[in-house]
Amino acid sequence: VALADGRGAQGVYHGDVRVLRGAHLTVDGAAPAAVASGADGPGRARAVLLARGVDGPGADPTARLERVREVTPGAVTETLALSCSTAAPVHARVAVVLTPDGTPMDRIKSGAPALPAPAPEVTPDGIRWDADADVTVHLHAPGADVEVAPDGTVRLAWDATATTGAPWTGTWTLTITDAGGVVTAPARPRPEWAAPDVDAADRRLPALLDQALADLGTLRMSARFAPDDVFLAAGAPWFFTLFGRDSLWAARMLLPLGTDLAAGTLRTLAARQGTTTDPATAEQPGKILHEVRRAELSMPGEGTVLPPVYYGTVDATPLWICLLHDAWRWGMAPAEVEALLPALERALAWMSDHGDADGDGFLEYVDEIGTGLANQGWKDSGDSVQWRTGDLATGPIALAEVQGYAHEAALGGAALLDAFGRSGADRWRAWAARLAERFRAAFWTQDAQGRYPGIALDADKRVVDTVTSNIGHLLGTGLLDAEEEALVAARLTGPDMDSGYGLRTMSTDSAGYWPLRYHGGAVWPHDTAIVVHGLARSGHAREAGALAEGLLAAAADFADRLPELYGGDARGTVPRVVPYPASCRPQAWSAAAAVTVLGATLGLRPDVPGGRL
């Protein structure tokens, strides 16, 4: 139940607007007792409640109410079913009090009170209210008595009669129309991937995979500027839109199951590839965007204000190149690949012409206007890049893992240019070789345990010395040699980094570590899965297996639905995984992590153009 002032995440959301923040159910004026609840298939949830005030005598509950919610594009339907096992019929007044809303998502995420509720109005076919200037909500409740209270809440009530073997059912439905949305449900109803039949001795893996693919099906979206293509929204409820980095990683993780999602993601992002230089949006020629929203995104109390189309990401552009290369290796149709080669060449040029702003040979970022994202890698919170002392690093910042992405992108881009008879491949292979040399000279540091890469270089080109999961993303990119990869593998699988439930984002030896710090100690499943994949690619099977087993253990505590992130507490020190309160669930790359674990387990190495897997 949401708090009276609307704080809390509960509710129905559409296009970054919460349109309903409360749905309070009573039976004969009393709240029924919930005894079971959970997912009931894609986009459905079911709760079983006991209506003890209307059932028969005795200890056994003989009247129960099932509450099933189903989400479909632009609509939410709740079905109520009262059943009984009594000699006489059960009569009850079933009521639901709904609280309309129109609070922007960013305000809710910040914990601020909700905006005043919009005023519902009675229409010939139900109830309607305007959540904002573009979003209109219609409420339909067949057979219900409908009353709009002075405080703006809407009360639905039914006189229900159930007999043994003949339940009573009632429904209410919200349908939402949106004149200003930037993303929409895809035109194709079926997912772009094939679901594998997995039989494993460890039954946790098939269970995790089944739930993941069901959840990923509910995150499929299309952009209004590219309606024929499909991508995965980053996650619900906070990031239910196109995110460059998130959508690219999720599509890359799903490549073993097909290339159609990758193709749609690549084309969607290419349709908004940067063409000009604009500090207000962080757009630059060739750059891949960070996120799109229906309106400006403002985080109260943080000083962050993002425009509706925002390019503040340093890694989406090389990751776009990596996805195109990997999709080609997995069998994306040559004609589809070739159509994207001009965008590839622009993305490659961005890495040298704009991504390396100061000419030192590394990709770096800085927020030029002061109201964008202070950090623009995957760890984009304001305190994610810090020294072991806990002090924050100052920008421009060159992140370690981004250099790995850039190296892999340069080599992958060169392979594509060669394969399709285009010039420039030798330039990018030489560029990658120079990047590897510079990285080896600039990023490595050491402590009592030995040598390791720091998370970043700061504005003064000093190595930021915190041990983080970022360095695991270097594995398999070709940036490190075999000896260096072994050092990274050993460092990441130590007890300060491996929680037993996955990889911590920051070592417990750092002053800034906290198990529930967003990027400073919590575990992100996608992050662990990327490292599992890198460990497998670089020949460290034992270490990969240990981290993968941790993800399976965590998934069991979340009913096989891995959230965006969770606490970094060590396994065995807590009764179960500690949830992170504001975590998205489902989250695209967390769900897709299951496919990455499967692919790493099987040791898949694709080369469809060469006729080999």
Side-chain angles (χ1 to χ4, degrees):
V1 178
L3 301 178
D5 63 0
R7 285 187 173 94
Q10 294 85 355
V12 175
Y13 294 78
H14 182 93
D16 288 346
V17 179
R18 186 169 65 183
V19 301
L20 188 76
R21 73 168 183 248
H24 183 60
L25 172 68
T26 59
V27 179
D28 275 5
V35 293
S37 63
D40 190 38
R44 284 169 56 96
R46 181 183 300 268
V48 178
L49 309 102
L50 302 182
R52 297 311 303 261
V54 298
D55 65 2
D60 291 342
T62 55
R64 75 185 213 172
L65 189 69
E66 294 199 11
R67 192 175 193 181
V68 179
R69 289 191 185 134
E70 183 170 12
V71 180
T72 54
V76 175
T77 298
E78 179 168 272
T79 300
L80 306 170
L82 178 66
S83 59
C84 66
S85 177
T86 56
V90 169
H91 303 284
R93 184 72 166 171
V94 177
V96 180
V97 176
L98 304 176
T99 306
D101 199 7
T103 303
M105 179 276 299
D106 45 359
R107 184 179 178 90
I108 297 165
K109 190 171 189 286
S110 73
L115 295 178
E121 60 177 278
V122 179
T123 68
D125 60 347
I127 303 291
R128 70 175 294 277
W129 63 87
D130 293 325
D132 75 359
D134 293 319
V135 178
T136 300
V137 184
H138 295 268
L139 168 64
H140 306 276
D145 298 327
V146 181
E147 176 186 350
V148 178
D151 64 358
T153 58
V154 179
R155 187 174 189 272
L156 311 175
W158 297 263
D159 288 317
T161 298
T163 59
T164 300
W168 166 87
T169 60
T171 64
W172 58 270
T173 299
L174 295 182
T175 55
I176 301 102
T177 56
D178 183 0
V182 296
V183 294
T184 185
R188 297 190 299 275
R190 296 182 64 82
E192 287 66 33
W193 54 84
D197 182 12
V198 177
D199 184 17
D202 187 335
R203 293 303 302 162
R204 295 174 301 177
L205 179 57
L208 174 61
L209 190 70
D210 288 347
Q211 183 63 56
L213 295 180
D215 285 338
L216 289 166
T218 70
L219 294 173
R220 298 169 61 250
M221 304 199 83
S222 294
R224 292 194 186 276
F225 56 79
D228 296 329
D229 288 309
V230 177
F231 62 89
L232 291 176
W238 315 124
F239 310 119
F240 206 66
T241 185
L242 174 65
F243 271 73
R245 176 191 309 116
D246 300 52
S247 299
L248 286 164
W249 265 123
R252 195 178 185 190
M253 290 173 166
L254 285 177
L255 277 173
L257 308 186
T259 63
D260 287 350
L261 177 69
T265 304
L266 289 162
R267 287 191 292 261
T268 299
L269 290 167
R272 284 294 182 270
Q273 190 174 24
T275 59
T276 188
T277 299
D278 183 357
T281 64
E283 181 180 359
Q284 293 169 331
K287 195 175 185 182
I288 298 300
L289 61 78
H290 173 59
E291 64 181 283
V292 294
R293 300 273 188 181
R294 65 181 303 114
E296 179 182 274
L297 179 70
S298 176
M299 298 305 295
E302 296 184 14
T304 300
V305 181
L306 305 184
V309 181
Y310 182 55
Y311 288 80
T313 168
V314 72
D315 54 8
T317 307
L319 287 172
W320 187 95
I321 299 169
C322 291
L323 177 59
L324 179 61
H325 171 261
D326 287 2
W328 170 64
R329 296 274 296 188
W330 273 106
M332 183 173 163
E336 292 184 286
V337 176
E338 191 165 21
L340 290 167
L341 293 182
L344 165 74
E345 291 167 331
R346 292 191 292 270
L348 285 167
W350 175 86
M351 293 201 303
S352 61
D353 299 347
H354 299 280
D356 178 15
D358 60 6
D360 67 345
F362 296 119
L363 271 63
E364 58 251 322
Y365 63 85
V366 67
D367 174 29
E368 295 186 38
I369 59 174
T371 57
L373 293 174
N375 287 309
Q376 297 182 4
W378 87 259
K379 294 179 180 176
D380 57 6
S381 55
D383 63 351
S384 64
V385 183
Q386 55 180 264
W387 300 82
R388 280 199 179 202
T389 60
D391 297 321
L392 299 185
T394 55
I397 287 172
L399 289 168
E401 78 276 14
V402 173
Q403 315 316 313
Y405 303 157
H407 184 273
E408 187 174 6
L411 294 181
L416 286 166
L417 293 174
D418 273 345
F420 287 87
R422 300 172 85 100
S423 63
D426 288 343
R427 175 199 172 190
W428 290 107
R429 277 189 283 268
W431 188 89
R434 292 193 300 271
L435 176 59
E437 292 174 3
R438 286 190 295 267
F439 186 92
R440 189 164 290 114
F443 270 83
W444 284 80
T445 185
Q446 65 180 38
D447 60 10
Q449 296 184 52
R451 298 175 61 241
Y452 65 96
I455 183 177
L457 301 182
D458 73 353
D460 297 321
K461 307 304 176 184
R462 297 177 299 169
V463 185
V464 182
D465 61 352
T466 317
V467 178
T468 64
S469 62
N470 298 56
I471 61 176
H473 293 218
L474 300 171
L475 297 168
T477 65
L479 189 69
L480 307 180
D481 62 29
E483 180 183 355
E484 291 166 339
E485 287 185 323
L487 289 173
V488 170
R491 180 62 65 124
L492 291 179
T493 51
D496 62 318
M497 289 299 296
D498 182 3
S499 74
Y501 290 122
L503 192 64
R504 295 185 181 96
T505 42
M506 182 182 290
S507 167
T508 57
D509 294 338
S510 299
Y513 167 78
W514 178 246
L516 288 174
R517 181 158 284 131
Y518 199 58
H519 292 131
V523 174
W524 289 63
H526 91 281
D527 182 35
T528 299
I530 290 169
V531 177
V532 166
H533 181 61
L535 287 166
R537 290 173 74 185
S538 57
H540 297 89
R542 180 182 59 81
E543 293 87 345
L547 288 179
E549 196 281 331
L551 287 181
L552 296 176
D557 281 351
F558 287 111
D560 301 316
R561 175 182 279 168
L562 283 169
E564 178 187 12
L565 71 156
Y566 46 83
D569 301 86
R571 189 169 170 181
T573 65
V574 287
R576 49 158 293 165
V577 181
V578 177
Y580 184 86
S583 184
C584 287
R585 190 165 177 254
Q587 177 87 353
W589 58 14
S590 290
V595 181
T596 297
V597 170
L598 175 63
T601 301
L602 296 174
L604 299 179
R605 294 178 182 271
D607 183 13
V608 173
R612 295 182 300 275
L613 176 59

